[in-house]
Amino acid sequence: MQDQAQVDIYLEPQLRESAEAGAHNFIGKVARVLQDAQFRVTYRNADGPVGDPDVLSLSHMAPAPTARGLVFRRCYHYPFWQIEARPERWLWDVAQAKFDPALVNPDEAKRFYRFWQKRLFADAPQQARRDGPIYVPLQGRLLQERSFQSCSPIAMLEHTLAQCSGAVVAALHPKETYSAEELSALENLAERHPRLILTSGDMERHLQHCAFVVTQNSAAAFSGYFFGKPALLFGEIDFHHIGVRADLADLSHSFAAVQQAAPDFAAYLWWFWQDNCINAGRAEAEEKIAARLRRFGWQV
């Protein structure tokens, strides 16, 4: 057992309230695993003062506030979660793992895939086509090239328009706030390319009809897998294994590859969620939580 038999869990106020009331399924399971290992669990506000820096900590999505801390976050949809050393998804264990569809039971994967298609998107995936425009779900900082990106988002859009002759739908993220400079750059691009359609949100409709997804690392591309839509990725992310990585030195090949891509979406999603995440809805969830904590040296 660690010298300091305590774990501080840093949460946003609303999430802390839910956890303290015992109303959050995943955090409740994490707390039980820790308490069963004789740890005291304390909930703290993520935006408040940091507690004892020598105490183990868990933080939701944000970098751990202490040297002995870990991060947890939802894996795109409930009830799937992960515990990691860092918040950057492209550094996670699953991002480094190798996906081999031959190791996945195809019948089990198909059942799993159909269930989650229906659970998340009702009948929409069954009506999906690939004869529509290219769908580009945008995130934030449109004019900046960040360390995990091969180019800025606006440059990604320019590359897409240069490589493809059909319609391109660029969807602003409804929860992002864009600067006047960013919006002006988009509008100027649309003026020069009338086949560029600017919109906001409405992910499900775009995934139903698009030919494929082009993005840095938007979660919309992960959702696109449920619609059978390949993804061309201009950024690093954890779900890259069946996506096509954009090669700026040979973008014509990258765009040709994503148009022809037909990965085993069912096997991949089963592998990604069942093998490499914690399904908080299953009986073995606490066992997998303990295994993840042990992975990082916690004695549970």
Side-chain angles (χ1 to χ4, degrees):
M1 184 179 298
Q2 284 82 357
D3 294 337
Q4 296 286 338
Q6 178 174 324
V7 177
D8 289 339
I9 302 181
Y10 292 82
L11 304 168
E12 301 88 331
Q14 187 174 359
L15 194 57
R16 176 182 177 179
E17 183 178 338
S18 174
E20 290 180 329
H24 195 284
N25 183 39
F26 177 71
I27 297 174
K29 290 179 185 292
V30 171
R32 279 196 295 276
V33 169
L34 293 169
Q35 290 161 350
D36 287 348
Q38 305 304 307
F39 285 97
R40 298 185 302 276
V41 174
T42 301
Y43 297 110
R44 294 182 177 274
N45 283 336
D47 58 356
V50 176
D52 186 340
D54 294 323
V55 165
L56 296 173
S57 69
L58 282 166
S59 56
H60 179 236
M61 296 178 61
T66 67
R68 303 174 70 197
L70 299 175
V71 177
F72 71 96
R73 75 177 291 167
R74 180 166 52 93
C75 293
Y76 303 105
H77 296 281
Y78 294 109
F80 299 95
W81 295 80
Q82 191 52 284
I83 298 170
E84 285 285 346
R86 298 181 61 176
E88 300 92 344
R89 293 179 186 267
W90 52 92
L91 299 176
W92 286 12
D93 285 347
V94 65
Q96 315 306 318
K98 294 188 181 299
F99 166 61
D100 183 353
L103 300 180
V104 177
N105 181 301
D107 294 330
E108 189 170 354
K110 287 175 184 175
R111 286 193 297 269
F112 180 84
Y113 188 56
R114 287 194 296 266
F115 173 85
W116 284 103
Q117 283 180 311
K118 183 79 171 179
R119 176 77 171 267
L120 295 173
F121 304 108
D123 295 327
Q126 309 309 320
Q127 302 161 9
R129 309 191 313 266
R130 287 194 59 182
D131 57 356
I134 297 166
Y135 173 43
V136 186
L138 295 170
Q139 295 155 280
R141 305 188 194 180
L142 300 184
L143 305 179
Q144 298 178 32
E145 178 186 335
R146 290 184 272 176
S147 61
F148 60 89
Q149 298 172 328
S150 57
C151 63
S152 70
I154 198 76
M156 174 183 69
L157 257 182
E158 292 172 335
H159 288 311
T160 302
L161 289 161
Q163 294 293 327
C164 302
S165 59
V168 175
V169 173
L172 295 168
H173 196 295
K175 293 185 179 178
E176 285 281 355
T177 299
Y178 296 96
S179 69
E181 186 181 8
E182 289 173 313
L183 295 176
S184 177
L186 282 175
E187 290 164 2
N188 289 338
L189 196 58
E191 286 178 6
R192 289 188 282 118
H193 299 275
R195 55 198 173 86
L196 174 60
I197 303 163
L198 302 179
T199 185
S200 177
D202 213 2
M203 178 191 74
E204 187 173 310
R205 180 172 66 85
H206 296 310
L207 288 176
Q208 269 189 296
H209 304 301
C210 71
F212 55 91
V213 179
V214 174
T215 187
Q216 295 286 353
N217 60 9
S218 170
F222 184 83
S223 291
Y225 292 167
F226 292 94
F227 289 79
K229 301 303 174 76
L232 179 60
L233 303 170
F234 279 77
E236 297 181 79
I237 194 58
D238 54 343
F239 59 78
H240 64 84
H241 308 80
I242 60 169
V244 176
R245 288 185 183 262
D247 179 2
L248 293 187
D250 193 359
L251 281 175
S252 60
H253 179 268
S254 300
F255 276 88
V258 73
Q259 290 180 68
Q260 298 299 318
D264 190 335
F265 294 104
Y268 182 72
L269 288 165
W270 192 96
W271 174 83
F272 188 92
W273 266 352
Q274 291 295 82
D275 271 1
N276 290 282
C277 296
I278 301 163
N279 184 341
R282 291 176 66 98
E284 67 271 19
E286 293 186 18
E287 179 182 335
K288 295 190 80 168
I289 289 167
R292 289 302 296 170
L293 296 175
R294 288 194 292 269
R295 152 75 176 88
F296 298 105
W298 292 26
Q299 296 177 30
V300 297

